[in-house]
Amino acid sequence: FSSRETDSKYDESSKCWRGLPHALLICTVKFFRPRHANDDKMANFHEDAPSSHVAVEKQIIHPGQVNKIRQNPQTPAMIATQSLESPYVYIWNTRTQKNRDVSSQNVQPSKPDVILKGHTQNASFWVGLLVVGTWLQVVGLAR
């Protein structure tokens, strides 16, 4: 999982991003064998160039800047995110979320599967996700 941050602003009245939206990216990364590199490819390496070994599988428009991402170990397609703009925790099923075009401007964010609104302040450090039976608990520490 990765995220993209932009300088756009969320307009509460229209429920749209003004400019390119913040996004949650679901990626597949191809790893090389240990201590194996092709000299020709290493000679052409540019730090700012996009990698051909990272494939973006799905893009989700997030309702704020993505500051925290946690994956549920029991169900890897379920992730939780949080933004500095909100104390809420957003739960996403990455298998069922639609792939969105994050290059469009003035778009509405994707709808999370669940929004947890029990937090009253931002959790500076997440301990993680805990699943007990059908219950999901987000554990965090506030400063």
Side-chain angles (χ1 to χ4, degrees):
F1 303 103
S2 182
S3 65
R4 181 188 78 174
E5 180 181 341
T6 67
D7 59 355
S8 65
K9 301 290 182 213
Y10 185 69
D11 182 7
E12 282 290 336
S13 62
S14 67
K15 305 283 189 229
C16 287
W17 283 104
R18 296 291 172 226
L20 294 174
H22 295 284
L24 177 62
L25 308 174
I26 314 306
C27 304
T28 301
V29 180
K30 179 178 154 185
F31 289 98
F32 292 105
R33 294 189 323 251
R35 293 181 278 292
H36 175 78
N38 183 329
D39 290 338
D40 294 335
K41 290 190 178 188
M42 291 304 290
N44 295 326
F45 176 78
H46 297 287
E47 186 173 317
D48 296 328
S51 173
S52 61
H53 304 289
V54 177
V56 177
E57 303 292 332
K58 190 175 282 192
Q59 303 173 113
I60 298 170
I61 297 176
H62 200 267
Q65 179 183 4
V66 182
N67 295 100
K68 298 175 184 116
I69 304 172
R70 292 293 183 268
Q71 183 180 35
N72 180 346
Q74 291 91 344
T75 313
M78 298 295 287
I79 61 170
T81 62
Q82 191 177 31
S83 175
L84 285 180
E85 293 91 6
S86 170
Y88 302 153
V89 175
Y90 303 101
I91 307 296
W92 307 89
N93 182 341
T94 60
R95 284 195 191 123
T96 60
Q97 285 289 324
K98 292 183 180 180
N99 189 24
R100 300 282 304 273
D101 179 11
V102 298
S103 63
S104 298
Q105 296 192 23
N106 304 325
V107 294
Q108 292 185 342
S110 300
K111 294 192 184 327
D113 293 280
V114 177
I115 300 174
L116 302 178
K117 296 184 176 184
H119 293 207
T120 57
Q121 56 184 306
N122 290 338
S124 301
F125 303 100
W126 277 17
V127 176
L129 299 175
L130 176 64
V131 176
V132 180
T134 58
W135 294 92
L136 172 69
Q137 185 174 27
V138 178
V139 182
L141 301 173
R143 280 191 172 180

